[in-house]
Amino acid sequence: MDRDTFEDELIKKVEENMKKAFFDNIARDIENNSFDSSFSLLNEIKQRICALVPNRKDLHKDFEEHLDVDFYRQVHSNGALDINMIHGIINFIIDKIKQFGSLEDEPWNEIWKTQLVVKIKRGDQLNTILPDFFKEAMHRIDKIEYEIAMFKESDLYKYLTEKRSKN
């Protein structure tokens, strides 16, 4: 194995371990009835999805109404955060990810959503459901961001941008 390959594999392994530790920490927080890291991730998801459509203030408003993190913090502090509310949050986020994602990902998004419903209905613990949900949500947002970046580098995008600037 050459040095570059070794370094690439080492970097990949370190990144994997850091992600695992990050999501393990979220699970521990939930086990201890602390949702601070979950609320932070929820806020990050909201910000990242809104950043996909910076000029769509209507969608930003929709996110503010449906993912009011301060409201959920307050609900949790009053002991009223329940699985139905969490399920609603999860469904909202998945539906938005589906809205912005590519059609080729549609079957995978449906499978993901169905798997989460099954886990919730069979009573899986939140400390397993939420870290898995957040990990997959972040992965799917990363993928959407990557696809947008690739499109912006394409000849078609350049052509459309030039055409629009001439009009």
Side-chain angles (χ1 to χ4, degrees), residues 76-101:
H76 175 259
S77 70
N78 291 325
L81 187 65
D82 66 10
I83 192 66
N84 293 324
M85 189 175 287
I86 292 169
H87 190 206
I89 294 167
I90 287 171
N91 280 336
F92 178 80
I93 292 170
I94 292 174
D95 288 344
K96 291 302 177 188
I97 288 173
K98 286 170 52 177
Q99 181 180 353
F100 295 116

Side-chain angles (χ1 to χ4, degrees), residues 1-165:
M1 178 183 310
D2 67 17
R3 182 177 172 93
D4 289 339
T5 304
F6 175 76
E7 287 177 2
D8 290 345
E9 288 183 19
L10 181 61
I11 289 169
K12 184 178 177 182
K13 194 67 167 169
V14 168
E15 286 174 351
E16 287 173 9
N17 286 336
M18 288 176 60
K19 284 181 181 179
K20 182 179 180 335
F22 178 79
F23 289 106
D24 286 350
N25 186 53
I26 291 171
R28 269 191 305 282
D29 284 352
I30 295 168
E31 286 173 10
N32 295 320
N33 199 33
S34 171
F35 284 76
D36 288 341
S37 56
S38 295
F39 292 137
S40 294
L41 263 178
L42 189 61
N43 200 43
E44 181 179 341
I45 288 169
K46 177 172 67 172
Q47 291 173 354
R48 287 181 66 190
I49 293 176
C50 285
L52 297 173
V53 287
N55 299 323
R56 292 289 308 271
K57 302 304 179 201
D58 59 321
L59 294 176
H60 296 192
K61 184 179 178 193
D62 191 32
F63 267 92
E64 286 302 323
E65 290 173 2
H66 285 89
L67 294 181
D68 184 343
V69 176
D70 291 333
F71 171 74
Y72 293 127
R73 283 183 200 274
Q74 188 175 19
V75 168
H76 175 259
S77 70
N78 291 325
L81 187 65
D82 66 10
I83 192 66
N84 293 324
M85 189 175 287
I86 292 169
H87 190 206
I89 294 167
I90 287 171
N91 280 336
F92 178 80
I93 292 170
I94 292 174
D95 288 344
K96 291 302 177 188
I97 288 173
K98 286 170 52 177
Q99 181 180 353
F100 295 116
S102 63
L103 284 176
E104 72 179 12
D105 289 336
E106 184 65 25
W108 303 113
N109 289 327
E110 282 302 316
I111 291 168
W112 175 39
K113 190 173 185 175
T114 301
Q115 287 174 339
L116 284 165
V117 168
V118 167
K119 289 178 181 181
I120 289 169
K121 285 186 178 180
R122 75 176 175 215
D124 286 14
Q125 297 295 310
L126 285 178
N127 65 332
T128 59
I129 293 171
L130 288 179
D132 289 346
F133 164 73
F134 285 131
K135 186 185 317 180
E136 189 65 24
M138 298 302 268
H139 166 73
R140 290 176 189 272
I141 294 168
D142 287 343
K143 186 174 187 299
I144 293 167
E145 290 170 340
Y146 174 78
E147 289 169 346
I148 289 171
M150 290 295 97
F151 176 67
K152 286 183 174 180
E153 292 179 12
S154 73
D155 290 336
L156 175 60
Y157 181 78
K158 291 172 187 166
Y159 169 77
L160 293 173
T161 303
E162 288 171 14
K163 188 173 179 169
R164 187 174 70 178
S165 66

